[in-house]
Amino acid sequence: MYKPIFHIDVNSAYLSWEAAYQLENGSSIDLRTIPSVIGGNEKSRHGIVLAKSIPAKKYNIQTGETLFSARSKCPNLVVIPPRYNLYMKCSKAMVDLLTAYSPTIQRYSIDEVFIDCSGALINNTPINLALEIKDRIKEELGFTVNIGISTNKLLAKMASEFEKPDKVHTLFPDEIPTKMWPLPIKDLFMVGSSTKRKLQSKGIMTIGELARCDSSYVYSWLKSHGTLIWNYANGIENSPVRNEQLPMKGLGNSTTLPFDITDARTAHIVLLSLIETVSIRLRVANKCAQVISISLKNNEFISYSHQRKLHTPTDSTNIFYEQAKTLFNECWKGEPLRHLGVHYSHLCSNDFFQLSMFQKQAENQRMLDKTIDNLRIKYGNKSIIRSCFLESGLNPLMGGVLDEEDYPMMSSLL
DNA sequence: TCTGGGGTCCTAGGACCC
DNA sequence: TCTGGGGTCCTAGGACCC
């Protein structure tokens, strides 16, 4: 007896959720039935398509393309700004509904879930169970999903990508030759544009052609990633559906600025703003980090980064800030910058650090960080800001997770 | 009014050690 | 003098996902 695995994928998630919300609040238009997209703010240079309706897709509008380009394909396109708080609530509502069916639920992203339905199939077939779940989500929550059914997560996920929306599909191992092998190579999970190009240069155009290759050849071209996708092409995958989330490996925030930065002083302030946000997240997670990395993107869209391992792990905003300034000064080539990012890695628990702390100055610094965190939690993020932001016109906490007015980062709240 | 932001994992090359 | 080689750590960059 196999374990039935479902992959549940919200159709055009952001757009569906917005549409359902608007209908619930008295709108007479269903955004899913007209050419519409969820898109960022073009004035602040965030103007890309985040999600599209099926009618918008008929104009060949792609996720990730600029709103400028999307509008040139469809002049009447309706553009709605994103509201991540709404998405978070919708995602949670779906997971809550699913917990009735299985204790084994893996949240893969804000709009995708794997469930192991082993225990839920008494007197029911997998297909009927999937249809029931799909229809309950539609009736009770107001949005549609695709459900893919198979014996492992890879095949279930591939199945949920078949015809959309509001559909249940199976992709059992014996269906691989007919349902999966004829598909173009780019449809295989983990085959992106770079791998697609390399495979096509070897004459491999379909998933079936990859599956029938000698795996040692694929390894020689693509190393471990080649082995991974060769296995996927043959339906081989056996990772468990896991309830608990894996420990965080790193965290960061980055932002595209509304204007190009041309001086180090402004860059430092932006870095500080990002560091405030990332550091709060780090402390909320009771972690310290030992590696700080900054990333830069210039006005020609060329990105580069610079990182440093610290002698000791820390969670101090000021220590990170001093490091970030140094890193920036070491690597900035002086050209106009449109984007800056901060990332921490090599995380460890802050328990040990707290016990081993002997420097009075560091202790004072930690007390200050904690006091500021508490003030912001109690009175709001704007209740206490650094004076350098006062006349800067810059947001003192960029990449904001805690401020309702800002777009919160998604995965940290999942 | 032109191109987001959050992650994970892997590899290459250099430094350094024995 | 003619130049090994395995191992680990570190950094930078790239690939993939949503």
Side-chain angles (χ1 to χ4, degrees):
Chain A
M1 183 55 185
Y2 69 90
K3 274 192 176 184
I5 309 291
F6 289 6
H7 179 252
I8 303 176
D9 188 335
V10 180
N11 302 127
S12 311
Y14 292 180
L15 190 109
S16 293
W17 288 332
E18 179 70 29
Y21 176 83
Q22 289 195 5
L23 289 177
E24 210 171 273
N25 288 274
S27 171
S28 56
I29 296 165
D30 187 336
L31 292 169
R32 290 166 290 198
T33 66
I34 61 171
S36 64
V37 298
I38 304 298
N41 183 337
E42 287 165 293
K43 276 187 197 152
S44 62
R45 309 203 293 188
H46 288 61
I48 64 158
V49 173
L50 297 162
K52 58 191 180 295
S53 68
I54 289 173
K57 192 176 184 175
K58 299 222 164 90
Y59 287 86
N60 193 30
I61 290 168
Q62 310 283 332
T63 301
E65 81 176 301
T66 61
L67 292 175
F68 180 85
S69 161
R71 262 195 273 264
S72 73
K73 293 174 180 175
C74 175
N76 298 322
L77 189 67
V78 172
V79 180
I80 311 282
R83 293 192 300 163
Y84 292 111
N85 290 317
L86 171 67
Y87 309 154
M88 230 79 73
K89 286 178 191 159
C90 292
S91 177
K92 181 176 185 302
M94 183 172 81
V95 171
D96 287 347
L97 186 152
L98 294 173
T99 52
Y101 292 92
S102 172
T104 314
I105 299 180
Q106 179 177 352
R107 235 169 157 163
Y108 182 71
S109 72
I110 195 166
D111 67 334
E112 290 182 41
V113 166
F114 290 100
I115 55 178
D116 178 337
C117 292
S118 300
L121 288 177
I122 321 296
N123 301 326
N124 213 346
T125 64
I127 292 179
N128 283 337
L129 178 64
L131 288 168
E132 179 189 322
I133 291 173
K134 170 182 85 69
D135 291 339
R136 266 196 68 193
I137 291 171
K138 181 158 65 169
E139 281 156 27
E140 296 177 25
L141 305 178
F143 54 86
T144 64
V145 299
N146 263 35
I147 301 184
I149 306 171
S150 190
T151 56
N152 67 39
K153 283 156 66 177
L154 181 271
L155 292 172
K157 182 160 170 59
M158 293 297 296
S160 70
E161 295 294 312
F162 296 162
E163 188 189 2
K164 297 175 183 177
D166 199 20
K167 294 277 197 301
V168 169
H169 300 285
T170 63
L171 178 56
F172 291 117
D174 63 332
E175 299 177 298
I176 289 172
T178 54
K179 289 190 177 179
M180 188 167 86
W181 282 355
L183 297 174
I185 193 71
K186 69 166 170 44
D187 287 3
L188 183 62
F189 181 65
M190 291 303 285
V191 174
S193 64
S194 174
T195 304
K196 181 187 86 165
R197 195 170 3 94
K198 288 172 192 165
L199 290 173
Q200 285 180 341
S201 76
K202 304 283 185 187
I204 296 166
M205 304 295 170
T206 66
I207 298 177
E209 284 164 5
L210 174 61
R212 287 185 292 267
C213 274
D214 189 316
S215 68
S216 61
Y217 282 134
V218 186
Y219 177 82
S220 71
W221 309 326
L222 301 169
K223 300 295 170 66
S224 66
H225 189 242
T227 304
L228 180 81
I229 62 172
W230 185 89
N231 282 330
Y232 285 0
N234 285 282
I236 300 167
E237 195 274 336
N238 58 16
S239 69
V241 179
R242 54 174 78 249
N243 266 320
E244 72 293 348
Q245 55 190 26
L246 295 169
M248 182 167 52
K249 296 288 177 60
L251 72 169
N253 285 112
S254 63
T255 191
T256 293
L257 284 308
F259 50 87
D260 282 352
I261 288 175
T262 53
D263 68 289
R265 165 82 184 148
T266 306
H268 290 173
I269 292 175
V270 170
L271 288 171
L272 174 58
S273 160
L274 291 162
I275 282 166
E276 290 259 34
T277 308
V278 184
S279 301
I280 290 168
R281 292 172 57 205
L282 185 74
R283 292 191 291 266
V284 165
N286 287 315
K287 300 280 188 187
C288 288
Q290 199 170 1
V291 174
I292 175 171
S293 162
I294 65 165
S295 60
L296 295 74
K297 178 151 66 179
N298 65 28
N299 60 347
E300 294 176 315
F301 276 80
I302 294 170
S303 298
Y304 49 100
S305 64
H306 193 33
Q307 72 176 56
R308 177 156 294 145
K309 185 169 188 183
L310 312 178
H311 289 112
T312 317
T314 185
D315 63 0
S316 157
T317 297
N318 273 355
I319 291 176
F320 287 127
Y321 180 43
E322 291 307 313
Q323 289 292 332
K325 278 190 288 189
T326 305
L327 289 167
F328 179 84
N329 296 340
E330 284 170 0
C331 77
W332 182 41
K333 303 182 180 96
E335 79 278 45
L337 298 173
R338 66 145 33 219
H339 176 108
L340 284 171
V342 169
H343 193 267
Y344 303 163
S345 55
H346 281 51
L347 306 188
C348 60
S349 163
N350 68 359
D351 295 352
F352 167 76
F353 183 76
Q354 282 175 323
L355 290 172
S356 72
M357 202 161 51
F358 52 92
Q359 290 175 302
K360 193 157 194 314
Q361 201 179 358
E363 189 167 5
N364 289 340
Q365 186 57 56
R366 286 175 64 84
M367 296 269 294
L368 178 60
D369 281 334
K370 187 154 184 56
T371 303
I372 293 172
D373 289 352
N374 287 337
L375 283 169
R376 283 176 172 155
I377 288 164
K378 199 165 177 184
Y379 300 109
N381 288 339
K382 306 247 162 82
S383 61
I384 178 160
I385 68 172
R386 298 197 183 235
S387 60
C388 64
F389 290 109
L390 283 172
E391 303 295 330
S392 71
L394 293 165
N395 182 342
L397 287 146
M398 286 191 211
V401 255
L402 304 171
D403 193 335
E404 289 275 319
E405 298 160 29
D406 294 323
Y407 301 144
M409 198 280 299
M410 296 181 295
S411 46
S412 72
L413 296 181
L414 278 176

